[in-house]
Amino acid sequence: MQFADRLQGVEASAIRELFKLLGKPGIVSFAGGFPDPTLFDAEGIAQASAAVLGHDAGAVLQYGATEGYPPLRTAIADMLRSQGAEVDAADLLVTTGSQQAIELLAQTLISPGDCVLVESPTFLAAIQCFRLHGANVVGVPIDGYGVDVDRLAALLATHRPKLVYLIPSFGNPSGATLTLERRLRVLELAARTQTIVVEDDPYSALYFDAPPPASLLALSAQVPGSREWLAYCGSFSKVLSPGLRVGWLVAPREWLAKATMCKQFGDVHTSNLSQAICAQYLAMGRLPSQLERMRSSYAQRAYAMADALQTRCGAELSFLAPRGGLFFWVRCAGAMQGRAQELVRAALDHGVAMVPGAPFFANDPDPSALRLSFATSDTATIQEGVRRLAAGLHALRDADCPTDATNAADSAHGAASSPA
Amino acid sequence: MQFADRLQGVEASAIRELFKLLGKPGIVSFAGGFPDPTLFDAEGIAQASAAVLGHDAGAVLQYGATEGYPPLRTAIADMLRSQGAEVDAADLLVTTGSQQAIELLAQTLISPGDCVLVESPTFLAAIQCFRLHGANVVGVPIDGYGVDVDRLAALLATHRPKLVYLIPSFGNPSGATLTLERRLRVLELAARTQTIVVEDDPYSALYFDAPPPASLLALSAQVPGSREWLAYCGSFSKVLSPGLRVGWLVAPREWLAKATMCKQFGDVHTSNLSQAICAQYLAMGRLPSQLERMRSSYAQRAYAMADALQTRCGAELSFLAPRGGLFFWVRCAGAMQGRAQELVRAALDHGVAMVPGAPFFANDPDPSALRLSFATSDTATIQEGVRRLAAGLHALRDADCPTDATNAADSAHGAASSPA
């Protein structure tokens, strides 16, 4: 099948359809996957923009190198080294958001028919991007501590995939974080089976209490032979601004050269203004306090969501509270089992939006799963949203037993009118 | 052959190799394909950036629609309508530079083995992009008035190409502009043979004396059935700033929907800040005077180059002076015929850089052709550069006839030392 024809196989997703229903006024939305724009440091970004357009306009407004704006490449390499990873500027390519890093890896590594292993569930746009390039995408089970490494090892042996795509820290949609021990095992598997592992890492800076374990990129120094099988996708989208579209790809230089050539014919280079703003922002030293602010806001919201869900829906919905990132992965339990899609509709009827979990699976979708994001709502709104979710849940449950419900109402009425 | 393997077929171009030689201090460069950064309206762009980050930071810094920032889509549609084309905002997709528009057309329209017709010569990155997607790229001869429509008709019949890629106004590298009569014939051919025509139009606003004929997009209204076979790529790179990476694709909505889906998995959307700056800049009304300034500067430089080439190299180099754009397409004549590559080296030895024309041909490269850009040099530098080119030319010519040259030197010496 040709590239253009495969487009027809990438369905208009359930999520996209759902978003069409979100126009209703007054709705509480847990459906998005976006950071909260009120937390962006607009003032700092405006200062950075004014500075670079003031002192380096010629370079910022002219064509630039496909590899990236040199001061930004250096700044990103410095930042990664401060996180324990051995990275030079020449080891990375600046990309138009980390989605482009995924796309360039797909373009340069995947041939139609290749197998790609992903977490089950994982980032929907990654599944779709790999499929667009003709990959047979296969899910590997995960739990609250990330990918199941024994199952991964078995699927590596069975499928001989071209690459394994993982979001080790605060995954989307799972919220799960891969343990240190599992990270090291993943790296050993990569080296032993000579399989490319793609680490997508947009959320690791957004931890609530303590940082997640070091990245696979940093840990690869401890596992001989693993670094040459590792690609790392980073992004400023969740910590600074997604609208600037600046991410990066760290990869062995041979792949990086191929990705750079594809990017040259794809968009020549990423917006120099966006790149220069990121470099200037880092140089201004504002990122650490900005991260503190985001971590504390998101943590507060996540704790509020955990409390409200536990209190109002504890019997029917189970979850492992995330320790960073933007998402709760919730499973319908008891009488609600397998009914996430119905619950999404019932909740929407009661004024709160969320997305079903099924589209996030490459195969064998879990019909009980839901993704809720707390990122863009304040704590009062989160409490109100969960109240509505509980109302939708109870309406759905009550609708199952119309007779019981009528009886209950009757008996309540009867009791109230009883003279006794 | 798979996508990744085709990368190996896209050679490190002669131009890229040449650029490595350009580091020498004091060199005059006619080699680039870039606009002059000193002509950018940095002040206006800084004002636009401050305005959008001041009043709309939340939207500008957040994720946006893949289709583009709504005020920019509207503004581009308005601009195109003012140029006579019937375009709504919904008919266009904002792209990360017009290179991405070409890439998205290649992704969605070309299957490996398809034929693509291009002008001979044409934009190198377009040839390479089509080849990367597996196309068999075939050149159609052009003259000083654009593509030879009779030859185009014949090649359409022979090759049944998937698409025809043209730069009708002030082509790169040819500088040629397609006449109105030929434009209408191209549209008739598109409609009659049901062949997609891609109009790449980055230069049409940069005319020296009078505007070029209306775009194929505008003229399609006069040729029944042609619009549905037409895609149009536009860009702010040459008129405002390439560093912002903002272009657009106008196409029939069915293709546009496919291109939008590819872009969604490619880079999600173009930098919102870049898009908002372009929209704000247009709203500020600064573009007309900025265009006047660029036209007048480039015209002055082009006239200076034409004069200098005519005066100093008229016997050995022939050219048709362009009436807009950034490029002279020059052919070696007389004893220099077929020796463009040698001339490039000899000229570089004398301190002026240009690029050979051969890489701009999909097939049957013209070994006599050279591309010279006047865009980034002032008139005095242009005169000095052409003086050096002439010196290189004469050195090459004299080296052909070492005996004659020695004789001439001897006789001159003899004459000078003669007592008579």
Side-chain angles (χ1 to χ4, degrees):
Chain A
M1 200 191 292
Q2 311 297 14
F3 191 92
D5 302 324
R6 285 193 299 267
L7 276 175
Q8 291 162 16
V10 177
E11 73 277 33
S13 75
I15 292 175
R16 188 178 276 267
E17 290 306 304
L18 180 75
F19 272 89
K20 292 182 185 162
L21 303 173
L22 294 184
K24 286 203 252 176
I27 210 129
V28 171
S29 179
F30 299 146
F34 296 0
D36 184 348
T38 69
L39 297 176
F40 297 153
D41 181 6
E43 187 191 316
I45 291 169
Q47 281 179 23
S49 177
V52 297
L53 286 171
H55 70 63
D56 202 19
V60 166
L61 298 177
Q62 182 58 291
Y63 283 107
T66 301
E67 291 81 355
Y69 181 70
L72 181 63
R73 291 177 86 197
T74 302
I76 293 170
D78 289 348
M79 187 171 74
L80 293 172
R81 273 200 303 275
S82 78
Q83 294 160 7
E86 279 300 316
V87 175
D88 287 332
D91 296 319
L92 68 90
L93 169 68
V94 178
T95 56
T96 305
S98 61
Q99 180 68 40
Q100 190 183 51
I102 296 170
E103 160 80 3
L104 291 172
L105 288 168
Q107 276 193 339
T108 51
L109 297 174
I110 296 174
S111 297
D114 282 346
C115 176
V116 167
L117 296 184
V118 301
E119 287 157 297
S120 229
T122 192
F123 179 42
L124 180 56
I127 298 176
Q128 291 176 317
C129 182
F130 296 139
R131 284 191 177 147
L132 200 56
H133 287 276
N136 170 30
V137 185
V138 175
V140 187
I142 68 167
D143 59 26
Y145 306 97
V147 73
D148 179 328
V149 185
D150 292 328
R151 298 291 293 275
L152 175 62
L155 288 164
L156 280 169
T158 319
H159 288 278
R160 309 289 310 147
K162 194 58 169 276
L163 63 87
V164 180
Y165 169 84
L166 301 174
I167 309 175
S169 297
F170 315 131
N172 175 9
S174 70
T177 291
L178 198 64
T179 62
L180 175 61
E181 183 254 340
R182 290 191 185 183
R183 286 177 194 234
L184 293 169
R185 287 191 61 206
V186 166
L187 289 167
E188 283 155 13
L189 279 173
R192 183 160 58 74
T193 64
Q194 306 206 331
T195 306
I196 297 164
V197 171
V198 177
E199 174 175 38
D200 191 5
D201 191 30
Y203 305 110
S204 61
L206 296 181
Y207 54 82
F208 302 150
D209 44 12
S215 63
L216 297 177
L217 185 67
L219 293 169
S220 66
Q222 301 177 29
V223 181
S226 64
R227 175 69 182 265
E228 64 197 273
W229 295 101
L230 190 63
Y232 175 94
C233 307
S235 174
F236 288 115
S237 290
K238 305 305 186 294
V239 297
L240 190 57
S241 152
L244 296 176
R245 308 304 304 125
V246 181
W248 60 90
L249 171 65
V250 179
R253 295 204 187 169
E254 187 194 345
W255 313 348
L256 208 60
K258 287 185 181 183
T260 304
M261 184 174 277
C262 277
K263 180 170 168 66
Q264 190 186 345
F265 303 124
D267 66 4
V268 189
H269 61 83
T270 295
S271 163
N272 277 336
L273 178 59
S274 287
Q275 292 189 73
I277 286 172
C278 291
Q280 178 69 20
Y281 190 89
L282 293 175
M284 285 158 61
R286 291 177 77 117
L287 190 60
S289 61
Q290 168 62 7
L291 282 174
E292 280 306 317
R293 203 160 68 102
M294 293 187 115
R295 284 170 190 147
S296 131
S297 296
Y298 289 140
Q300 201 178 26
R301 294 169 189 182
Y303 299 151
M305 183 170 271
D307 280 352
L309 283 172
Q310 189 60 50
T311 307
R312 292 191 180 272
C313 316
E316 285 99 352
L317 299 181
S318 69
F319 60 91
L320 196 67
R323 304 184 67 181
L326 306 177
F327 304 107
F328 272 65
W329 185 244
V330 171
R331 295 191 72 257
C332 299
M336 284 298 110
Q337 207 166 347
R339 299 175 65 183
Q341 185 68 52
E342 286 171 83
L343 179 55
V344 165
R345 299 208 162 268
L348 196 59
D349 289 342
H350 286 78
V352 60
M354 58 206 66
V355 292
F360 298 97
F361 291 82
N363 46 272
D364 303 327
D366 178 352
S368 292
L370 295 166
R371 188 191 74 176
L372 278 65
S373 174
F374 49 83
T376 54
S377 309
D378 60 27
T379 53
T381 307
I382 287 168
Q383 285 154 358
E384 172 60 16
V386 175
R387 193 195 63 73
R388 295 179 186 183
L389 167 59
L393 192 65
H394 298 153
L396 195 61
R397 192 187 54 195
D398 294 347
D400 288 345
C401 339
T403 322
D404 290 3
T406 311
N407 289 351
D410 282 357
S411 67
H413 180 74
S417 62
S418 158
Chain B
M1 200 192 292
Q2 311 296 17
F3 192 91
D5 303 324
R6 284 194 298 269
L7 276 175
Q8 291 162 14
V10 178
E11 73 277 35
S13 77
I15 293 176
R16 187 178 275 267
E17 290 307 303
L18 180 73
F19 272 90
K20 292 181 185 161
L21 305 173
L22 293 184
K24 286 203 253 176
I27 212 131
V28 172
S29 179
F30 299 147
F34 297 0
D36 184 349
T38 68
L39 296 177
F40 296 154
D41 181 7
E43 186 191 317
I45 292 169
Q47 281 180 24
S49 177
V52 297
L53 287 171
H55 70 64
D56 201 19
V60 166
L61 298 176
Q62 182 58 291
Y63 283 108
T66 301
E67 291 82 355
Y69 182 68
L72 182 62
R73 291 178 87 197
T74 302
I76 293 171
D78 289 348
M79 187 171 73
L80 293 172
R81 273 200 302 277
S82 78
Q83 294 160 7
E86 279 302 315
V87 174
D88 287 333
D91 296 318
L92 69 92
L93 169 67
V94 178
T95 56
T96 305
S98 61
Q99 180 67 39
Q100 190 183 50
I102 297 170
E103 161 80 2
L104 291 171
L105 288 168
Q107 276 194 338
T108 51
L109 297 174
I110 296 174
S111 297
D114 282 346
C115 176
V116 167
L117 297 183
V118 301
E119 286 156 299
S120 231
T122 191
F123 179 43
L124 180 56
I127 297 176
Q128 292 177 316
C129 182
F130 296 139
R131 284 193 178 144
L132 200 56
H133 287 276
N136 170 31
V137 184
V138 175
V140 188
I142 68 166
D143 58 26
Y145 306 98
V147 73
D148 179 329
V149 185
D150 291 328
R151 298 290 295 274
L152 175 62
L155 288 163
L156 280 168
T158 321
H159 288 277
R160 308 290 310 149
K162 195 56 169 278
L163 63 87
V164 180
Y165 170 83
L166 302 174
I167 310 175
S169 298
F170 315 131
N172 175 9
S174 70
T177 291
L178 197 64
T179 62
L180 175 60
E181 183 255 338
R182 290 191 185 182
R183 286 177 195 233
L184 293 169
R185 287 191 60 204
V186 165
L187 290 167
E188 283 156 13
L189 279 173
R192 182 161 56 78
T193 65
Q194 306 207 332
T195 306
I196 297 164
V197 171
V198 177
E199 175 175 37
D200 192 4
D201 190 30
Y203 305 110
S204 61
L206 296 181
Y207 54 83
F208 302 150
D209 43 12
S215 64
L216 297 177
L217 185 67
L219 292 169
S220 66
Q222 299 178 30
V223 181
S226 63
R227 176 70 180 264
E228 65 198 270
W229 296 99
L230 191 63
Y232 174 95
C233 307
S235 174
F236 287 115
S237 290
K238 305 307 186 293
V239 297
L240 190 57
S241 151
L244 295 176
R245 310 303 306 126
V246 182
W248 60 90
L249 171 64
V250 179
R253 297 205 185 169
E254 187 194 343
W255 312 349
L256 208 62
K258 287 186 181 182
T260 304
M261 185 174 276
C262 276
K263 181 171 167 66
Q264 190 186 347
F265 303 124
D267 66 4
V268 189
H269 62 82
T270 296
S271 163
N272 277 336
L273 179 58
S274 287
Q275 292 189 73
I277 286 173
C278 290
Q280 178 69 19
Y281 190 89
L282 293 175
M284 286 158 61
R286 290 177 77 117
L287 190 60
S289 61
Q290 166 64 5
L291 283 174
E292 280 306 316
R293 202 160 69 102
M294 294 188 115
R295 283 170 192 148
S296 131
S297 296
Y298 288 141
Q300 202 178 24
R301 293 169 190 183
Y303 298 151
M305 183 170 271
D307 280 351
L309 284 172
Q310 190 61 50
T311 306
R312 292 190 181 273
C313 316
E316 285 98 352
L317 299 181
S318 70
F319 61 91
L320 195 69
R323 303 184 68 182
L326 306 177
F327 304 108
F328 271 66
W329 184 244
V330 172
R331 295 192 72 255
C332 299
M336 285 298 110
Q337 208 167 344
R339 300 175 66 184
Q341 185 69 52
E342 286 171 83
L343 180 54
V344 165
R345 301 210 162 264
L348 196 59
D349 289 341
H350 285 79
V352 60
M354 58 205 67
V355 291
F360 298 96
F361 291 80
N363 47 272
D364 304 326
D366 179 350
S368 293
L370 296 165
R371 189 191 75 177
L372 278 65
S373 174
F374 49 83
T376 54
S377 310
D378 60 25
T379 55
T381 306
I382 287 168
Q383 284 154 358
E384 172 60 16
V386 175
R387 193 195 63 72
R388 295 179 187 184
L389 167 59
L393 191 65
H394 297 152
L396 195 61
R397 193 187 54 194
D398 294 347
D400 287 344
C401 336
T403 320
D404 291 1
T406 310
N407 287 351
D410 283 355
S411 66
H413 180 73
S417 61
S418 158

